[in-house]
Amino acid sequence: MGMIDWAIVLVYSAIVIVIGAIASRKQDNTDEYFRGAKQIPWWALGFSIIATSFSAASLLGGPGEGYGHGFLYLQLQLGDLIGYGLVIAVFLPFFVRLNLTTAYEYLEKRFDAKTRSLGSLCFLLFVIARLGGLLYAAALVLSVLTGIGTNTAIVMVGVISIIYTVAGGITAVVWTDVLQFGMIFVGLGAGIWAAVTSVPGGFGELWRIAGESGKLVVFNFDWDPASIRSLPTALVAYGILAFAVAGTNQQSVQRYVSCADETSARKAILLGWFSGFVGVAATLLLGVLLFSFYQLQGNLPANVKPDEILSYFILNQVPPGASGFLVAAIFAAAMSSIDSALHSLATCMTVDFYDRYINVRASEILSVRVAQGLIIVWGIVAIFSAIYAASTGQDLLEFLVSYTTMFLGPLLGIFLMGVLFPRINALGAFYGTVAAVLLVIVASNAGWLTFPGIWRSAITAPLAILLGLGISLFASAPTPKHLLGLTIWHSVTDAPGTSAVAKPGANDQDLGD
């Protein structure tokens, strides 16, 4: 990288820190720190929804996917649309109307405190397990592109993410996400421009070669349960997986509950899906153009892996300036995932555990300080786990990640139990979910489950519901009064606002807790 490239990256980093400093001026209560006092525009939250899931791996993997398989991956965006649509129809009304901070507060209102803790713990394990991996993967690429040491890159990305996340809370996270998502598009545009202007005939010639090579096909109607590039799999298996992630993951839910009202939340979700569709299409387009580029140039080494193609292109073909924007885009994609993971992790630990069990009467400012301390602690943990992975060549948390992903289906199941099945009580919800998780772990290790991993949520969510229904028969059914405003069958139209909604733990007495 030349001086102009470094200047672009440094200016971008400085802007991110300034945004955090500006947002920090109002962070004196939990509503401001965790939800932005519901004052953040819906469109900014919409961009933040997709920026959160658009990691450095997405930015690097997209062009590799386009290079190898064209636009077939775009089918998954239809699955995303199904998932987001189900969130809007099934979960969103409860998240917004109940004035929640974390998704798992709903589980206590509907069931009991231990069920809320179980749901929150499932999410926390998943986030903790992947934090170090997110940081290490991003730093490894930046190290290759910039020439700085991997550990230096890890510390640089980690520290900057920690600083503005601690300082500005959700407001800083959302506005930096907007900036970061914009930078991703600038970087993709720079990459497309570099490819198009480097060959005779430009875009038309690259597009022609891609078409002749079958890279412009979007739909694959073949039934192939093991392939994410099959439309039925994308719609059903991935659609349910997207429903689980978008509907039960605090990183997404925190954006919904930060909206001013349900209408704004719906618009934010749909904007998030649309911007994600455009973002994925842009990464695939870059990959398709790079395929045509190297068909003409013929100088791509055989040992370059699909997710290394963009890095190779930046190092060898992209001119100064444009490469700076691409590196800044990778930097942005990394931070947009890490900041959201850190903030949502701190939110759940503070709201679902510290405020709920340790210091129930904690002042607003104390809860904010606890959340800020947790962001720093877990940010440091992520840095050291990433450094460990860099020094050993092993992913410290690979084992945990493989197991925590098993929680997605049962976690979706427990929310569906609450919203759709009035007969399920706290006993069934808690132990049904635990039993489903244990069955999936045991069956996977014993080799009983032979279905492709992408179908796991589609199979384990119904399993958790069935177990929850069966176990619920051993205790009394929740009363209609307790269910008021907490299921789709029990409307609050006959009660003012949310005052008729059952208070946390109202069902505990049914179980003798």
Side-chain angles (χ1 to χ4, degrees), residues 193-212:
W193 171 81
V196 167
T197 57
S198 298
V199 297
F203 183 86
E205 179 64 11
L206 295 177
W207 191 257
R208 181 189 65 79
I209 294 173
E212 293 176 353

Side-chain angles (χ1 to χ4, degrees), residues 212-235:
E212 293 176 353
S213 302
K215 300 295 183 181
L216 304 184
V217 176
V218 176
F219 296 108
N220 171 22
F221 296 98
D222 294 340
W223 170 248
D224 186 356
S227 174
I228 59 174
R229 303 177 191 93
S230 163
L231 184 60
T233 301
L235 294 178

Side-chain angles (χ1 to χ4, degrees), residues 75 81 113 156 159 171 221 280 323 368 378 404 411 473 494 511:
Q75 296 172 109
L81 182 59
M156 182 173 70
V159 168
T171 302
F221 296 98
V280 171
S323 60
V368 170
W378 286 110
T404 52
L411 192 56
L473 298 178
D494 56 342
L511 303 177

Side-chain angles (χ1 to χ4, degrees), residues 32 36 40 70 83 95 121 129 137 155-157 209-210 249 270 314 341 347 352 361 364 369 375 381 393 422 444 466:
E32 186 74 47
I40 304 173
F95 290 152
L121 182 62
V155 173
M156 182 173 70
V157 175
I209 294 173
N249 187 315
L270 293 174
I314 294 172
T347 301
D352 292 330
R361 295 179 176 82
E364 292 281 307
R369 295 294 177 261
I375 290 171
V381 169
S444 297
L466 289 174

Side-chain angles (χ1 to χ4, degrees), residues 182-193:
M183 179 56 70
I184 288 171
F185 274 99
V186 171
L188 289 171
I192 292 171
W193 171 81

Side-chain angles (χ1 to χ4, degrees), residues 270-283:
L270 293 174
L271 176 62
W273 172 80
F274 179 74
S275 56
F277 177 88
V278 175
V280 171
T283 61

